[in-house]
Amino acid sequence: MRTVKDVTFDLLRKLGLTTIVGNPGSTEETFLKDFPKDFDYVMALQEASVVGIADGIAQGLRKPVIVNVHTGAGMGNALGCIVTAFQNKTPLIITAGQQTREMLLLEPLLTNIDAANLPRPWVKWAYEPTRAEDIPAAFMRAYATAMQQPAGPVFLSLPLDDWDKPMPEIDVFRTVATRIGPDPVRVAEFAERINAARSPVIVYGSDLARSQAWKDGIVFAETLGVPVWTAPFAERTPFPETHPQHAGALPAAIGPLGKKFAGHDLVIVIGAPVFRYYPYVGGDYIPKGTQLLQVTDDPNMSSKAPVGDSLVSDARLFLEAIQPQLKKRTSSIASPLRPAPKTPDMEAQPLAGDAIMAAVRDACPADYVLVEEAPSVVAEMQDQFRIDKPDCFYTFASGGLGWDMPAAVGLALAERSSGRNRPVVALMGDGSFQYSVQALYTAVQQKAHVVFVVLQNHEYAILKSFAELEETPNVPGLDLPGIDLEALAKGYGAPAKLARTGAEVTAAVAEAIARPGASIVVVPLTRKRHSLI
């Protein structure tokens, strides 16, 4: 008879899951021993980086990745990025070793006590197999659960003494559907209401990117000829930001967001929650007399929406189903709704956020991937970078720092694996840079083609903006003096360069993009408070 490990690894091969990202510990070594040559192991130095790197790979390749962390302690380190993976709807199969079954009752050192509960509610399913022989079937169920909409991470706790146990040759491989189709009656109802609307408006969310509905979203928008907003805090770009109908990104506060719909009698939200709000600023969700339709692949997003009527469906399948039922409208949009990017002051020192964004943009080639974790300059980034291609912008849906640096590494590995080979440019605040700095080690060792542009203002600028909004003066811990970013980068083996002027930034980023492997460009950023509403 073959072993549990033999049967499990054969299943993983059939599923195409031959990449494992991990930080090995003693309870995982039985899973990893005699590691198969046809599998790839990507090592990271800390479990938050492990999950973030796997998330980037999974999103870049559009398939699950096996994550291997160290028992309960490693899960604790990983949880911040697991929260983001859940809200990013990224399919990950997260595994952690468990102590030997014979000692579990005693709860020895490194026991993952109540293992299945530790990652909840931020995984779709969590399980510790009752028998060693159940491990292959548990992986199959984990795969099916992770892939079915809404996609997301799952968790398996695996006792270290299970892998060498003999088991029958059982083939548990099966296939599952990964898209939810719309109710035809509901689609017809939505089409009727859209056709009858006097002045509709569209809001697109990140599900359009995940469901590869970029072109369908354009056709839908051009058929209606109305403004298209991007949902607040969108982690993927759902619609070309150079399109004349693109109105920009919605504000994330209740009152200011609702006011954007003034004059519209119908709001059509596709692929987004209603809505991702923060901070709290009161007001009407939508204007009085305005109606809202929501299409989402997540029943939870449908059930918790404060207003509107919903339909649960994959975004692309919905757009394909409703398109033949729509009446073509004559667009009243004669010129682009958004003005051209502002011309920044390139002479001021230190540079402002818009100048840095423009300088970085000028260094980027025609095809690249942009990752963002610089909360205090998001508005400037959105103005200077107008994303006009699918699958080239990524950020964190959770708002929790520490995901983007490792995710950028994972995206770079996915670019190499897929053969697209686009460089990855990651915009980081100097505070964000500290959260998962260990990811630099993996970037260097894996020769990932990623450029980290770190904006250094020696403070948590976004938190100082919140302090002004919330009227909370004298909050401690918002300044970050004494951090040598170049020394940190070089300590991990990555070349680093300080750039102060716009010309220096463009030259340094262009040089880094031309160089294989990982690089860091540090740019001093002027201190400035930003309006959050």
Side-chain angles (χ1 to χ4, degrees), residues 426-445:
L427 305 172
M428 308 287 300
D430 53 349
S432 298
F433 189 81
Q434 306 306 317
Y435 275 71
S436 294
V437 67
Q438 301 92 340
L440 281 180
Y441 177 83
T442 306
V444 171
Q445 297 300 314

Side-chain angles (χ1 to χ4, degrees), residues 190-422:
F190 275 29
E192 183 178 350
R193 293 174 65 178
I194 292 170
N195 288 332
R198 171 184 50 81
S199 178
V201 63
I202 297 169
V203 180
Y204 282 152
S206 301
D207 287 347
L208 269 79
R210 281 185 283 268
S211 64
Q212 297 179 284
W214 184 273
K215 292 181 180 179
D216 304 270
I218 295 172
V219 171
F220 180 84
E222 292 179 347
T223 299
L224 300 188
V226 301
V228 178
W229 289 95
T230 297
F233 295 123
E235 67 274 14
R236 303 279 298 273
T237 306
F239 186 75
E241 296 174 344
T242 54
H243 196 286
Q245 289 174 234
H246 187 242
L250 286 169
I254 294 171
L257 189 155
K259 290 179 181 178
K260 293 293 185 181
F261 301 140
H264 297 285
D265 59 341
L266 182 66
V267 181
I268 307 161
V269 182
I270 303 177
V274 179
F275 285 100
R276 193 172 277 151
Y277 297 113
Y278 193 72
Y280 175 74
V281 180
D284 294 327
Y285 293 108
I286 54 178
K288 290 178 174 59
T290 300
Q291 297 183 345
L292 185 145
L293 304 178
Q294 181 197 24
V295 179
T296 173
D297 64 12
D298 187 348
N300 182 52
M301 293 294 181
S302 167
S303 65
K304 71 183 183 184
V307 292
D309 304 317
S310 61
L311 181 159
V312 177
S313 171
D314 171 84
R316 183 174 179 179
L317 293 182
F318 167 77
L319 291 168
E320 291 175 345
I322 200 169
Q323 187 61 38
Q325 303 181 49
L326 297 176
K327 294 179 180 178
K328 175 74 173 176
R329 294 171 181 257
T330 300
S331 177
S332 60
I333 300 173
S335 59
L337 293 177
R338 296 178 71 189
K342 297 174 183 176
T343 302
D345 180 359
M346 304 302 290
E347 301 301 324
Q349 285 292 307
L351 291 170
D354 57 351
I356 297 173
M357 295 299 106
V360 174
R361 179 203 62 206
D362 289 347
C364 293
D367 289 316
Y368 62 98
V369 176
L370 184 67
V371 180
E372 174 272 317
E373 189 173 289
S376 65
V377 295
V378 167
E380 291 89 339
M381 180 204 70
Q382 290 172 338
D383 182 50
Q384 296 296 325
F385 283 92
R386 305 292 175 93
I387 305 299
D388 60 359
K389 297 176 182 178
D391 300 329
C392 61
F393 175 76
Y394 299 81
T395 190
F396 51 134
S398 67
L401 302 180
W403 176 86
D404 290 71
M405 178 177 278
V409 178
L411 286 161
L413 297 179
E415 286 297 310
R416 183 170 67 199
S417 178
S418 67
R420 293 186 298 263
N421 291 316
R422 297 176 297 176

Side-chain angles (χ1 to χ4, degrees), residues 17-40:
L17 307 182
T18 57
T19 296
I20 299 175
V21 186
N23 180 22
S26 56
T27 56
E28 290 72 47
E29 288 182 309
T30 52
F31 169 59
L32 299 171
K33 75 173 185 178
D34 298 324
F35 195 71
K37 293 182 179 180
D38 58 331
F39 278 64
D40 292 320

Side-chain angles (χ1 to χ4, degrees), residues 95-216:
T95 65
Q98 176 63 293
Q99 264 290 7
T100 307
R101 286 183 185 269
E102 289 186 10
M103 292 201 300
L104 281 178
L105 183 61
L106 309 177
E107 296 184 1
L109 183 69
L110 294 176
T111 301
N112 194 351
I113 301 169
D114 203 0
N117 267 335
L118 182 58
R120 291 181 173 134
W122 302 110
V123 292
K124 293 181 66 180
W125 180 61
Y127 184 65
E128 184 174 282
T130 304
R131 306 179 307 154
E133 298 88 341
D134 291 335
I135 287 179
F139 268 94
M140 186 63 241
R141 179 173 173 180
Y143 174 87
T145 305
M147 286 293 288
Q148 293 179 96
Q149 289 178 322
V154 297
F155 173 67
L156 294 175
S157 172
L158 305 169
L160 67 87
D161 55 329
D162 281 358
W163 294 105
D164 289 333
K165 291 186 177 178
M167 70 169 291
E169 185 70 53
I170 299 174
D171 186 1
V172 297
F173 174 81
R174 57 195 176 91
T175 61
V176 294
T178 58
R179 292 179 184 263
I180 300 170
D183 174 6
V185 174
R186 192 68 159 168
V187 171
E189 177 189 333
F190 275 29
E192 183 178 350
R193 293 174 65 178
I194 292 170
N195 288 332
R198 171 184 50 81
S199 178
V201 63
I202 297 169
V203 180
Y204 282 152
S206 301
D207 287 347
L208 269 79
R210 281 185 283 268
S211 64
Q212 297 179 284
W214 184 273
K215 292 181 180 179
D216 304 270

